[in-house]
Amino acid sequence: MRNIRPSGSAVAGICPTASIGSPGSAAGFGLHADDLPDGLVVADATGRVTCFNAAAARITAVRPGDVLGRPLDSALPLEDLDGRRWWPLTDPYGGLTTRTGQPERNLLLPGGRQVLVSARYVRERPGGPVVRVVVQLRGTEARRRAERSHAELIATVAHELRSPLTSVKGFTATLLAKWERFTDDQKRLMLETVDADADRVTRLIAELLDISRIDSGRLEVRRQPVDMAAAVRRHVEAHVRAGQPEGRFVVRVSEEPLPALWADPDKIDQVLGNLLENAVRHGEGTVTIEVTPALMKARTEGTAVTVSDEGPGIPEESMARVFTRFWRGSKRGGTGLGLYIVKGIVEAHGGTVTVGRAARGGARFRFTLPVSAPAFLTQA
């Protein structure tokens, strides 16, 4: 008996059984085919469609009732990217009896619409005839978004690399060709510019590597004792040496003793550097950095650092996107990757980072790190 299950979608799928598995069984949880997020198409031993769920209908823009009972190759007239018809090419009911299915690949529906298709060939016994072909369909939107994100990352980094590399090439070529014509002061200025631009290239490459590690979950944290207050003061001093007024920064360290913090000092320097650079470049007025003890969600000790400015702040509707790739709070330069890296590093330490509005209207970033300790110190 065919079961047509009402659903909240415009079209409900049609499948021969009411559910996948049964409640309390190991095979499933009483799920109906329409509960699946991906498209499901099932053909019987004769190659005719017996199940076409709601997701398959949405992906293919075909009504389930129009394909039920039809041959699989006409219900799903798929082609590969070279224009070859897919079902005659793969021949699921013929060929080697050791075949178990087809891996996921990008195929075309009529009209050129792309869809990700994988198939499973079900046999009652090894080497026996195919009694059922189960096809999974997925839209390509998520993959396209990932591809666009990767393309945008490459374009952004290439754009940011072009300027310093052009400067390095220009100054070195000029010095090599006309060394004797310049004074020592002029040579020093050019070499200092080359050195600064080389540092900029190094930072960009480091950011790219960090993003790769964050995305793949391979960001390593090498924990050592970290004096957070000293690290904050060191970064402030660096900004002052670079020309920022000393009075622009206020550092407040809690009078209450800070817990001993074990973290990756290089990664913490990246976090502090990005947050202070963000406040200096995009904010206005006084930049206030507060270092205080904190209590984590698990009721464990931690250290919190808050960086706030007195600029225009971040619009409420943009706060959810602050820690995503390529988000820029203004048009004052930058790759838009810094805060994404900050979030990745903090979370790799088991901490949290948030954004809000400061007391005087500017942006307020706060990250909290658990005290933690290297594994060798926690082992008995």
Side-chain angles (χ1 to χ4, degrees), residues 40-349:
L40 175 68
V41 180
V42 181
D44 62 16
T46 66
R48 296 188 177 276
V49 175
T50 60
C51 177
F52 202 90
N53 76 345
R58 173 178 51 80
I59 292 170
T60 61
V62 173
R63 293 176 55 190
D66 293 340
V67 297
L68 200 68
R70 287 174 54 187
L72 181 60
D73 58 351
S74 65
L76 278 179
L78 298 166
E79 295 182 352
D80 65 14
L81 300 184
D82 295 324
R84 296 174 298 183
R85 294 179 62 195
W86 183 241
W87 296 116
L89 189 67
T90 57
D91 189 17
Y93 292 93
L96 296 174
T97 58
T98 56
R99 293 188 306 167
T100 59
Q102 290 290 333
E104 185 176 78
R105 60 189 63 201
N106 202 352
L107 299 176
L108 300 176
L109 291 166
R113 185 178 181 183
Q114 295 187 10
V115 61
L116 298 173
V117 182
S118 59
R120 172 80 174 177
Y121 304 158
V122 180
R123 306 174 191 270
E124 290 184 343
R125 64 182 187 281
V130 173
V131 297
R132 189 163 56 253
V133 174
V134 181
V135 182
Q136 175 180 284
L137 305 175
R138 291 198 300 132
T140 60
E141 293 80 6
R143 178 173 291 186
R144 287 179 178 176
R145 284 196 297 270
E147 290 173 350
R148 283 197 298 269
S149 179
H150 291 152
E152 189 173 356
L153 175 61
I154 292 170
T156 298
V157 172
H159 175 77
E160 291 293 327
L161 284 173
R162 184 181 297 133
S163 176
L165 287 177
T166 300
S167 172
V168 168
K169 177 62 178 176
F171 278 123
T172 53
T174 301
L175 286 171
L176 288 171
K178 304 176 181 179
W179 179 266
E180 301 298 335
R181 299 186 185 182
F182 296 106
T183 66
D184 288 346
D185 287 341
Q186 288 173 325
K187 293 173 184 176
R188 175 178 290 277
L189 177 61
M190 289 184 187
L191 289 173
E192 287 176 346
T193 303
V194 168
D195 184 62
D197 283 333
D199 287 342
R200 183 178 169 191
V201 170
T202 301
R203 286 195 302 271
L204 285 169
I205 293 173
E207 284 186 350
L208 192 60
L209 290 173
D210 284 335
I211 287 172
S212 174
R213 294 184 184 112
I214 290 168
D215 287 348
S216 62
R218 294 185 294 106
L219 187 66
E220 295 183 2
V221 175
R222 296 181 173 88
R223 297 185 187 275
Q224 301 175 33
V226 173
D227 185 337
M228 187 65 79
V232 167
R233 292 190 179 100
R234 188 172 64 251
H235 279 272
V236 169
E237 290 168 2
H239 279 281
V240 172
R241 287 197 302 271
Q244 289 293 325
E246 186 174 355
R248 187 176 183 188
F249 299 94
V250 174
V251 177
R252 296 174 181 160
V253 179
S254 172
E255 295 181 359
E256 183 180 346
L258 297 172
L261 176 66
W262 286 75
D264 189 318
D266 293 334
K267 298 290 190 294
I268 297 306
D269 276 340
Q270 279 184 269
V271 171
L272 291 173
N274 276 320
L275 291 182
L276 264 68
E277 179 70 21
N278 185 74
V280 169
R281 176 180 291 182
H282 304 292
E284 297 173 4
T286 302
V287 176
T288 304
I289 308 101
E290 301 174 87
V291 184
T292 60
L295 199 61
M296 306 297 291
K297 287 184 178 179
R299 311 300 293 175
T300 57
E301 287 186 312
T303 298
V305 178
T306 304
V307 179
S308 55
D309 61 70
E310 298 174 347
I314 299 170
E316 193 72 30
E317 63 273 13
S318 298
M319 286 188 180
R321 297 184 289 109
V322 165
F323 296 107
T324 59
R325 286 184 185 182
F326 311 119
W327 184 86
R328 295 179 179 88
S330 68
K331 298 180 180 180
R332 300 181 187 178
T335 61
L337 300 173
L339 294 177
Y340 178 80
I341 292 173
V342 164
K343 184 175 186 288
I345 290 175
V346 170
E347 290 183 348
H349 280 80

